[in-house]
Amino acid sequence: MKEILYLEVPITDIASVRSWLQTEFDPGNWEKILTPDGCRLKISSKYTVNGAKITENLPKEFSIFVWSVQRTTYLKVFRWAEQPLPQEKEVLQNLTRQIRQRFPHHYPEPPAIDLSQQSIFAALAPYYPLTVKYFQKMPNGEYDLNRAYWWEQRWREGVRNPQQPRQVIFSQGVRVEGVGGVGEERKHTSPSSSSSPSSSSSPTYDLIYIGGALGSIHAAVMAKLGYKVLLVERLPFGRMNREWNISRDELQSLLNLGLVTAAELETVIVREYKDGFNKFFDGNNPEKLRSPVLHTPTVLNIALDSEKWLQMCGQKLLSAGGEIWDETEFIRADVDDTQVVVTVKHLPTQQEKQVNGRLLVDAMGTASPIAWQLNGGRAFDSVCPTVGAVVDGGFEPGVWDSQYGDVLYSHGDISRGRQLIWELFPGAGEELTIYLFHYHEVNAQNPGSLLEMYEDFFTILPEYRRCDMDKLVWKKPTFGYIPGHFSVSSSDRTIAFDRLIAIGDAASLQSPLVFTGFGSLVRNLERLTTLLDVALKHDLLKFSHLNLIRAYQSNVSITWLFSKGMMVPTGKFIPPQRINSMLNTFFGLLADEPPEVADNFIKDRCDWFTFNRLALKAARKNPALVWWIWELAGSRDLVRWVGNYLNFGRHALVNVLLSAWFPRLLIQIKPWLETHNPALWLRLLAINYAITTGRPRSRQQYAELNSQAVIHNPEGARG
């Protein structure tokens, strides 16, 4: 038998496809014989003459069957004979055309609901029955499902109205009138109603952060530097719908900045596993495009207690004189020459209040209306809709060893227009944090659905890791939209305005492969903090200054083509195994390399020479790779990528020319230049970070770093 056709049918109901195949599909002149899983198409009842080879004594017919995995139906056609049968090409084209017409792509949307009439569970149960069932088993499940629904609706609104985003930033020629005040001094202060901030007084705060997840980390750092900081958070402070994983060497920046001590950091580390696995399904790949497991023992191998970590950052912020207003929603910001006036609403009381500061920091993530307004029609180029849960036991012994993690894993091919990928990270005790996500282009017709993904998650988790879903102990859900922006240069995305700057997911400068906003922020924390400190000290708070304070790396922007190659364009069908073939090509190369190569690549430290060497090896191993990427990315994005590549080469050349002497020169001229021309000093310092950030580690450096069992507290760091 020989496989001659493999199709993804983007529908969860396999019975409908089987029924259509057996009753409605028109095979033309071929005789259709029904089978339990499909049908056979027979060319005639005659067999070959006696004496022919055994392979030619096979029936002259096709076997067509369907099966289901990942809540998706798949179809294959096998030919019994070795040689092509008469009209074989026409038969396959006819079958493909008919099945595509009958079962096109469908992108379901959450229903409009009225929670004044019913609960979120009752409203969504007819559409997402398993999602409702298992959210009901979680503490705070109703609240979290409400949040997931709200986040999806907010995301869809931003994607579908990018040219006319909700206006939340206003620039005025005169100061905002009114008189301001601050909330009471207690752990989580709620804003009380009062008059507006006074235009004649100095701003109440140096920094106002909107968003309390990634924002709380940076806010605590800046407060410890002596700045007056206010953190505004829409949720009860410390609540997280994500867990955070990172590596020890990346956490070092938290100690270098004096945010925490090594002992304090150890208290929020709940697990350090031995090894992480990267493996993609290759059952339908040709032999040369199958790959071994890529081991990454130092990638995302540290699991943090995210809520405990946020509480620690909150305490650091408060002890340094900062304030936290939780359950408070950002409404708008009015910017003038001397301050930014922020209007917020305390959600439990629905009372609005205005507060003023020198600088507003947007840390609201993907749902940030500020990011959508600043970037208009191109806020984000891609996104990872991500769902999952923390499970605190219930798996049978032997299903998973908590000394190991799954960094990236797929157990099937393209599913309803998405290549689904799993992540699994062990936590405290029996806890496992499990994610399901896919790389996705931002498209108004198909923005990407969290709720649809959750229905997938609760249906196919037993396919991924053997379990009885009703025996699992569900601790909390984890979900969100993680955005990506394909930067051609360091200035093609707006992350600032006068007296406003974005960080984290709102700035959309994540790693294109693992899309971790937390890891990206921590890796760049020293860079962002130092530059922002200079800007605040010298009141360099105009757009031209603040737009320099970004975590752009040319070696990160060049790798966006890999994530682009993992996205199925909306409305398009490609061979189901295509993305797994591409992933196996590249990760197979990394598996053959020394471990520091994969570590550098995934942690945004790939240099120009290594990138080109790996790209050439990939092209030799799989010559079709370039054409496949062309099909997925399209001519426009490939042209953009060529611009990225040229910019990457230019940065590499500048790095070679400057890295040996430029950093030493800055140390020598700092005392004079920062005093006499702080704007030039800020620009030169930003250039210095651009040429020193993201350098690859050598084999010796990699071995030394990963042989250390503890994080070292640098001498002189503030605890």
Side-chain angles (χ1 to χ4, degrees):
M1 294 182 71
K2 181 176 178 60
E3 179 186 318
I4 55 175
L5 186 65
Y6 175 30
L7 298 176
E8 168 221 7
V9 187
I11 185 173
T12 60
D13 184 7
I14 186 175
S16 295
V17 181
R18 184 169 50 239
S19 174
W20 172 85
L21 191 62
Q22 294 175 340
T23 61
E24 298 180 42
F25 166 56
D26 180 8
N29 296 325
W30 293 69
E31 177 185 355
K32 185 193 296 185
I33 303 171
L34 304 189
T35 63
D37 295 311
C39 65
R40 291 155 45 205
L41 300 184
K42 197 171 183 180
I43 192 171
S44 73
S45 59
K46 297 180 180 179
Y47 288 71
T48 53
V49 296
N50 292 333
K53 294 181 179 180
I54 186 66
T55 56
E56 295 301 322
N57 287 328
L58 296 171
K60 294 183 178 179
E61 62 184 45
F62 302 117
S63 176
I64 307 174
F65 62 92
V66 294
W67 77 99
S68 179
V69 68
Q70 302 183 122
R71 283 186 78 218
T72 302
T73 303
Y74 297 91
L75 177 147
K76 280 191 175 183
V77 180
F78 280 81
R79 182 205 317 127
W80 283 91
E82 289 290 331
Q83 301 300 319
L85 299 181
Q87 299 182 326
E88 176 177 302
K89 183 177 180 181
E90 290 78 4
V91 170
L92 300 181
Q93 289 176 341
N94 180 42
L95 172 60
T96 302
R97 183 181 66 256
Q98 288 190 46
I99 204 167
R100 295 297 184 230
Q101 290 174 348
R102 177 61 181 82
F103 302 103
H105 278 298
H106 173 60
Y107 306 110
E109 299 193 19
I113 59 177
D114 182 359
L115 295 184
S116 67
Q117 302 297 320
Q118 58 186 334
S119 72
I120 190 76
F121 291 142
L124 296 184
Y127 307 92
Y128 310 103
L130 291 182
T131 302
V132 168
K133 175 182 177 180
Y134 291 109
F135 266 81
Q136 287 176 317
K137 294 177 179 287
M138 300 181 195
N140 302 307
E142 185 171 10
Y143 177 91
D144 287 328
L145 187 54
N146 264 300
R147 177 155 171 75
Y149 178 86
W150 169 85
W151 202 338
E152 176 161 343
Q153 295 296 81
R154 189 81 166 263
W155 172 257
R156 287 177 177 272
E157 176 189 350
V159 171
R160 286 176 172 165
N161 301 289
Q163 303 298 338
Q164 298 172 333
R166 182 162 62 98
Q167 299 294 299
V168 292
I169 303 298
F170 299 87
S171 180
Q172 300 182 4
V174 296
R175 297 183 179 90
V176 180
E177 299 293 330
V179 181
V182 295
E184 299 175 29
E185 244 183 346
R186 57 190 178 88
K187 183 176 180 183
H188 295 161
T189 307
S190 301
S192 57
S193 61
S194 67
S195 53
S196 302
S198 171
S199 61
S200 60
S201 63
S202 61
T204 307
Y205 298 96
D206 294 304
L207 292 146
I208 301 174
Y209 285 80
I210 310 294
L214 295 180
S216 67
I217 303 171
H218 201 255
V221 172
M222 298 306 291
K224 286 179 73 68
L225 290 179
Y227 293 103
K228 181 67 173 175
V229 176
L230 170 65
L231 177 68
V232 178
E233 166 57 36
R234 188 179 188 277
L235 301 176
F237 183 75
R239 288 292 306 277
M240 273 285 291
N241 291 119
R242 288 280 294 175
E243 292 297 297
W244 283 334
N245 280 72
I246 200 166
S247 64
R248 282 194 176 270
D249 62 304
E250 292 171 308
L251 287 173
Q252 187 65 40
S253 65
L254 300 175
L255 302 175
N256 296 343
L257 290 167
L259 177 58
V260 291
T261 66
E264 288 173 327
L265 199 52
E266 289 296 333
T267 65
V268 298
I269 295 176
V270 296
R271 174 77 67 173
E272 182 173 11
Y273 61 71
K274 291 181 178 179
D275 197 2
F277 307 136
N278 301 263
K279 184 71 185 83
F280 302 98
F281 181 68
D282 57 14
N284 294 305
N285 293 2
E287 187 67 32
K288 70 174 185 176
L289 298 185
R290 298 178 180 180
S291 67
V293 174
L294 170 63
H295 295 266
T296 51
T298 56
V299 173
L300 303 178
N301 63 311
I302 299 288
L304 302 182
D305 183 329
S306 61
E307 294 188 1
K308 186 176 181 180
W309 168 242
L310 287 183
Q311 292 293 344
M312 182 179 290
C313 290
Q315 290 299 328
K316 295 285 184 181
L317 171 59
L318 294 168
S319 64
E323 296 182 39
I324 299 173
W325 293 355
D326 64 351
E327 297 186 90
T328 302
E329 186 174 34
F330 168 77
I331 303 298
R332 63 179 282 166
D334 293 89
V335 179
D336 65 32
D337 291 338
T338 61
Q339 65 180 354
V340 55
V341 178
V342 181
T343 304
V344 297
K345 179 192 290 184
H346 185 231
L347 296 176
T349 63
Q350 292 296 296
Q351 290 182 331
E352 290 193 3
K353 174 184 172 63
Q354 288 187 327
V355 62
N356 61 2
R358 295 174 62 200
L359 181 67
L360 175 65
V361 182
D362 176 15
M364 286 185 282
T366 56
S368 167
I370 295 175
W372 287 101
Q373 180 179 339
L374 291 184
N375 289 277
R378 191 169 170 244
F380 308 111
D381 293 287
S382 64
V383 68
C384 276
T386 303
V387 301
V390 179
V391 178
D392 192 10
F395 286 95
E396 293 294 327
V399 170
W400 191 258
D401 186 339
S402 290
Q403 298 183 87
Y404 302 93
D406 260 347
V407 179
L408 295 169
Y409 183 94
S410 67
H411 80 279
D413 289 325
I414 292 171
S415 166
R416 306 199 312 283
R418 309 153 306 162
Q419 178 59 66
L420 300 179
I421 299 175
W422 295 93
E423 292 180 312
L424 182 153
F425 301 114
E430 295 186 31
E431 284 185 10
L432 295 175
T433 301
I434 306 171
Y435 298 107
L436 180 67
F437 72 95
H438 64 97
Y439 297 89
H440 188 67
E441 67 173 6
V442 176
N443 184 282
Q445 179 189 354
N446 177 26
S449 173
L450 294 180
L451 294 176
E452 192 68 22
M453 283 280 287
Y454 255 126
E455 199 68 10
D456 290 329
F457 177 84
F458 291 119
T459 303
I460 70 177
L461 179 57
E463 297 175 4
Y464 166 57
R465 294 298 168 206
R466 175 171 48 88
C467 64
D468 182 337
M469 295 288 288
D470 293 324
K471 291 183 179 179
L472 298 183
V473 181
W474 302 96
K475 185 176 180 181
K476 73 172 186 178
T478 56
F479 55 85
Y481 289 99
I482 306 175
H485 178 81
F486 299 156
S487 298
V488 177
S489 70
S490 60
S491 60
D492 74 338
R493 176 174 174 80
T494 302
I495 55 98
F497 187 69
D498 291 351
R499 299 191 175 274
L500 185 155
I501 188 170
I503 65 170
D505 289 342
S508 190
L509 293 170
Q510 295 80 6
S511 305
L513 278 179
V514 292
F515 269 66
T516 50
F518 172 63
S520 181
L521 176 73
V522 171
R523 281 193 291 275
N524 289 282
L525 197 59
E526 292 184 60
R527 177 184 188 176
L528 295 173
T529 300
T530 302
L531 294 174
L532 189 56
D533 185 34
V534 171
L536 286 165
K537 281 180 179 177
H538 302 287
D539 206 35
L540 302 173
L541 302 179
K542 294 293 186 181
F543 164 77
S544 58
H545 303 125
L546 295 174
N547 213 40
L548 297 171
I549 305 173
R550 57 174 67 231
Y552 173 81
Q553 293 175 222
S554 62
N555 61 343
V556 174
S557 66
I558 195 68
T559 54
W560 68 257
L561 195 63
F562 290 100
S563 57
K564 185 70 177 180
M566 291 180 247
M567 304 174 197
V568 181
T570 295
K572 188 172 183 177
F573 288 98
I574 64 173
Q577 71 275 30
R578 175 65 53 80
I579 291 177
N580 276 325
S581 296
M582 296 170 64
L583 289 168
N584 277 295
T585 297
F586 186 70
F587 277 76
L589 293 179
L590 290 179
D592 293 337
E593 294 285 327
E596 67 272 9
V597 174
D599 189 79
N600 283 329
F601 191 91
I602 294 175
K603 293 179 182 176
D604 305 337
R605 291 195 297 262
C606 183
D607 63 11
W608 188 87
F609 295 101
T610 302
F611 176 84
N612 282 279
R613 181 173 61 82
L614 292 175
L616 290 173
K617 285 182 68 175
R620 286 196 298 269
K621 180 178 180 180
N622 182 8
L625 190 62
V626 175
W627 172 247
W628 290 353
I629 294 175
W630 183 292
E631 280 188 303
L632 291 173
S635 301
R636 177 176 171 270
D637 277 333
L638 272 181
V639 170
R640 286 174 59 195
W641 181 84
V642 170
N644 275 51
Y645 180 78
L646 295 175
N647 191 53
F648 184 33
R650 182 176 65 85
H651 273 258
L653 178 60
V654 170
N655 195 311
V656 170
L657 295 175
L658 298 185
S659 59
W661 59 272
F662 191 73
R664 292 200 301 270
L665 174 65
L666 286 191
I667 295 174
Q668 295 172 3
I669 66 175
K670 176 184 176 181
W672 182 88
L673 185 60
E674 185 173 7
T675 302
H676 292 83
N677 194 336
L680 178 59
W681 169 249
L682 178 65
R683 184 171 295 276
L684 293 179
L685 196 58
I687 293 173
N688 185 57
Y689 275 111
I691 65 175
T692 57
T693 302
R695 287 179 176 172
R697 292 195 172 120
S698 67
R699 182 174 301 183
Q700 181 178 351
Q701 290 172 321
Y702 172 83
E704 289 175 354
L705 281 169
N706 297 300
S707 65
Q708 298 170 0
V710 297
I711 301 175
H712 297 292
N713 208 19
E715 184 178 352
R718 296 172 295 276

